[in-house]
Amino acid sequence: MRKVYHWEPNGANAQLLITLAEKGLAYESIFLDVLAGENHQPALTALNPGGELPVLVDNGHVFTQASYICEYLEEAYPKNPLMPVDAHGRWVVRGWLKYVDDYYASAMSDLAWEAGRAKVDPAALTAGAQSAPTPERQQVWREHRDPFPSDRLDMARDYVARGVQKLDDALENAPWLAGSTFGLADIALYAWTGYLPWAAPGAVTSNIAEWLERVGARDSVQLALQSGRADNAFAIAAPGPEHTRWG
Amino acid sequence: MSVELYFFQPLGTNSGRVFQALLEKGVDFVEHELSGRDFDHLQPEYLALNPKGQVPILVHDGAVLTEGMLINEYIDECFDGPPLRPEDPRARWTMRGWSRWAENDLGRCLMMINWNRVVPSFVGERSPKEMKHFIETRVPDPDRRRAWLSAFEQTTPPERLAESRRRVTAGAQRVEAHLREHRFVAGETFSLADIDLLNFCSFVIDWMPELVSAKDVPAWAEWRARMNERPAVKAMRARTNFDVPRPGRVPEAQDGPDNDAPAGQAG
């Protein structure tokens, strides 16, 4: 049996849940409430020591890191392809995924957190920092207790703005990010850009608004959104992925 | 068909991983070796090819490809020669996870430590003011610009450097445990992940013995000795400058964030 451990269908959780739905792959959904620290419990850390979500268990094997899980699913289950067949087109798709993983996800996560910080009980953050299973994740939670320093927010806004520009440019002449067909790049970018109307409403361009609607109307996205508990998964945030450590 | 590689030196980090993939695959390519010390990669000629000013790039029949990890998958998909990725999808997932970790986690911590040691001496014959101005106006990526500046001005917070050292020590044990169980990083066959662990991380055994010495990581050291026997690696080592930067000497400037490369990287 296939199992997916996930939180609200936003960010990396949405990336995996939408991909599974596009592939038509059935799974048992295990919802863990991140803001209640449920992903820090042994049931999950036994599978993924850092406690990050989502986690896939497929044929008894554990898979982490959404972008690589999605590529695994694409290779293990070729039906309903989500990547182009030519090497250059695949390089383009992987470039989008890497951009999300290197910069866009952590930057968007910071802006989403700032937008929703007031809704989170500070005690939950203290508890989360204590229960986080690794020093890395403890630090991430501690950093989320107080408002972010202005240079961190400036950097996040800058990276989101760059991502938005890339996205807008790509959508200027094509309906989807890899060209004529929907795929893993659209899914990864949607999973984080879904936050944009809430976290940085002024940044939404008409190309992006139309693409968000096109993606959001897909059956796979509708199905993935049903696996959450919040009214709007893109109006709730949790401490996100760590920033790339340059210096 | 034309294949051209713009790179710093053959062994080490992003340039090294792509150089090695081309050699392992047996692809004929035209070499464009850039001098990082002369900041060739921030000159208009190179920025016209890659506006981000990052190295390496592969130019295949006129198409410019960036991002070493992704170039390598492209090479494996495009060219004949021995496969550099496992067949099994799960082993490929393992490969990708380790490649990313070698570059972005362990590799980045190593780079932060080494970069802070050597960048101040990159100033060479420039005045510090000129150097700072050069960084501020010529490094295109804001995050990397910040990394250059904080290393050059020695303003990286000590606790961040200490955390990187902690992660290097912990990460080395992760590598060791994995290589005790597996002959190669992705399992039973040589793959791009071996190339990445070698080029991004394995120099630590020579370079930072205070953090990781060969006796701490015998399985890693044994694996590294096997990697160094590969014809591709031998050819790369023969062409690589292993000069260790010391106070009063000017190291090769290619060892900076634009190559993701710590100084004097060795296999």
Side-chain angles (χ1 to χ4, degrees):
Chain A
M1 182 58 197
R2 194 174 293 119
K3 290 185 184 179
V4 179
Y5 297 78
H6 64 91
W7 186 50
E8 296 292 347
N10 52 34
N13 300 286
Q15 194 182 350
L16 175 57
L17 294 169
I18 295 169
T19 301
L20 284 162
E22 286 284 339
K23 287 278 176 194
L25 297 170
Y27 58 91
E28 179 190 344
S29 157
I30 299 154
F31 183 98
L32 298 177
D33 186 348
V34 170
L35 292 172
E38 289 180 359
N39 58 318
H40 296 161
Q41 300 309 310
L44 187 73
T45 57
L47 304 176
N48 185 17
E52 293 101 338
L53 293 172
V55 171
L56 169 72
V57 181
D58 193 33
N59 297 319
H61 298 295
V62 177
F63 297 87
T64 57
Q65 294 183 289
S67 289
Y68 299 144
I69 304 177
C70 293
E71 259 203 270
Y72 161 77
L73 292 171
E74 176 70 4
E75 292 177 343
Y77 305 98
K79 204 178 143 206
N80 304 337
L82 295 169
M83 279 181 94
V85 289
D86 68 295
H88 190 272
R90 298 162 74 80
W91 172 81
V92 171
V93 170
R94 291 185 180 120
W96 281 108
L97 300 189
K98 189 166 193 301
Y99 186 75
V100 167
D101 292 341
D102 285 356
Y103 298 114
Y104 196 62
S106 55
M108 187 68 84
S109 179
D110 276 4
L111 297 191
W113 180 255
E114 281 301 309
R117 170 190 293 283
K119 288 196 244 172
V120 179
D121 177 4
L125 287 170
T126 303
Q130 278 164 0
S131 65
T134 61
E136 288 85 348
R137 293 306 298 171
Q138 287 164 11
Q139 178 64 24
V140 167
W141 277 76
R142 278 197 297 270
E143 288 170 1
H144 282 70
R145 278 191 304 211
D146 301 314
F148 291 138
S150 62
D151 61 342
R152 176 169 178 162
L153 278 175
D154 289 345
M155 190 66 80
R157 287 192 196 100
D158 187 41
Y159 273 106
V160 166
R162 284 161 174 255
V164 162
Q165 184 70 54
K166 269 166 78 81
L167 197 52
D168 191 64
D169 289 347
L171 294 169
E172 183 65 32
N173 297 309
W176 309 113
L177 296 181
S180 58
T181 54
F182 176 85
L184 291 186
D186 297 286
I187 295 172
L189 267 292
Y190 178 84
W192 290 99
T193 309
Y195 272 130
L196 197 65
W198 181 55
V204 182
T205 68
S206 60
N207 283 335
I208 291 175
E210 288 164 19
W211 169 82
L212 283 173
E213 255 182 54
R214 275 200 299 285
V215 179
R218 295 178 75 86
D219 291 346
S220 63
V221 177
Q222 293 300 316
L223 194 64
L225 292 176
Q226 286 168 18
S227 60
R229 293 180 184 170
D231 293 339
N232 177 3
F234 290 115
I236 180 169
E242 202 181 13
H243 288 254
T244 303
R245 294 169 59 83
W246 278 107
Chain B
M1 184 195 82
S2 76
V3 181
E4 300 173 64
L5 180 68
Y6 291 75
F7 66 103
F8 286 140
Q9 58 182 9
L11 189 67
T13 62
N14 255 329
S15 287
R17 65 159 32 150
V18 178
F19 201 99
Q20 186 177 348
L22 289 167
L23 292 191
E24 298 275 0
K25 200 78 184 167
V27 179
D28 280 329
F29 63 101
V30 177
E31 294 185 13
H32 298 282
E33 190 160 356
L34 303 174
S35 164
R37 184 170 165 173
D38 297 325
F39 295 100
D40 286 348
H41 61 299
L42 300 179
Q43 301 302 328
E45 296 79 15
Y46 187 76
L47 292 174
L49 290 168
N50 183 10
K52 287 186 85 179
Q54 289 160 17
V55 180
I57 55 171
L58 188 78
V59 184
H60 184 202
D61 292 338
V64 176
L65 294 120
T66 58
E67 295 288 353
M69 180 171 171
L70 313 183
I71 294 173
N72 277 0
E73 293 225 33
Y74 176 88
I75 289 170
D76 198 43
E77 290 182 355
C78 261
F79 300 105
D80 294 333
L84 300 178
R85 299 175 303 172
E87 273 295 309
D88 172 46
R90 185 162 70 96
R92 283 199 185 185
W93 171 84
T94 303
M95 178 194 81
R96 291 181 180 122
W98 276 91
S99 280
R100 181 174 177 81
W101 186 79
E103 175 186 355
N104 265 46
D105 293 87
L106 184 54
R108 210 78 94 199
C109 291
L110 290 168
M111 196 192 69
M112 190 197 296
I113 296 166
N114 223 20
W115 189 229
N116 271 273
R117 287 182 187 172
V118 302
V119 164
S121 60
F122 282 14
V123 64
E125 286 159 16
R126 304 170 186 89
S127 73
K129 207 177 146 194
E130 271 178 307
M131 179 77 176
K132 189 177 175 191
H133 180 74
F134 186 87
I135 294 170
E136 284 174 336
T137 56
R138 298 294 285 279
V139 178
D141 184 76
D143 210 21
R144 293 185 189 214
R145 192 159 60 231
R146 194 182 54 165
W148 272 90
L149 273 180
S150 64
F152 178 62
E153 299 184 310
Q154 298 282 290
T155 52
T156 306
E159 62 273 18
R160 277 183 74 77
L161 285 165
E163 173 63 6
S164 283
R165 287 193 290 272
R166 186 193 69 76
R167 291 186 189 203
V168 167
T169 307
Q173 286 310 317
R174 179 174 186 244
V175 174
E176 178 65 14
H178 188 72
L179 291 175
R180 266 203 303 268
E181 301 296 321
H182 305 283
R183 185 162 166 76
F184 295 99
V185 176
E188 294 316 303
T189 54
F190 176 79
S191 79
L192 296 175
D194 294 289
I195 290 177
D196 292 343
L197 184 65
L198 185 74
N199 281 281
F200 279 98
C201 305
S202 299
F203 69 93
V204 67
I205 298 170
D206 299 319
W207 274 70
M208 300 178 187
E210 73 281 12
L211 293 179
V212 183
S213 74
K215 69 173 168 35
D216 298 330
V217 286
W220 190 0
E222 186 274 327
W223 168 93
R224 188 180 66 143
R226 265 191 285 130
M227 293 300 118
N228 283 342
E229 287 304 309
R230 299 182 73 82
V233 179
K234 280 186 174 174
M236 293 160 72
R237 291 179 69 87
R239 294 184 39 186
T240 299
N241 175 11
F242 290 107
D243 274 358
V244 178
R246 294 190 182 86
R249 293 186 52 204
V250 180
E252 293 295 309
Q254 64 224 34
D255 304 324
D258 302 329
N259 190 28
D260 306 345
Q265 63 283 67

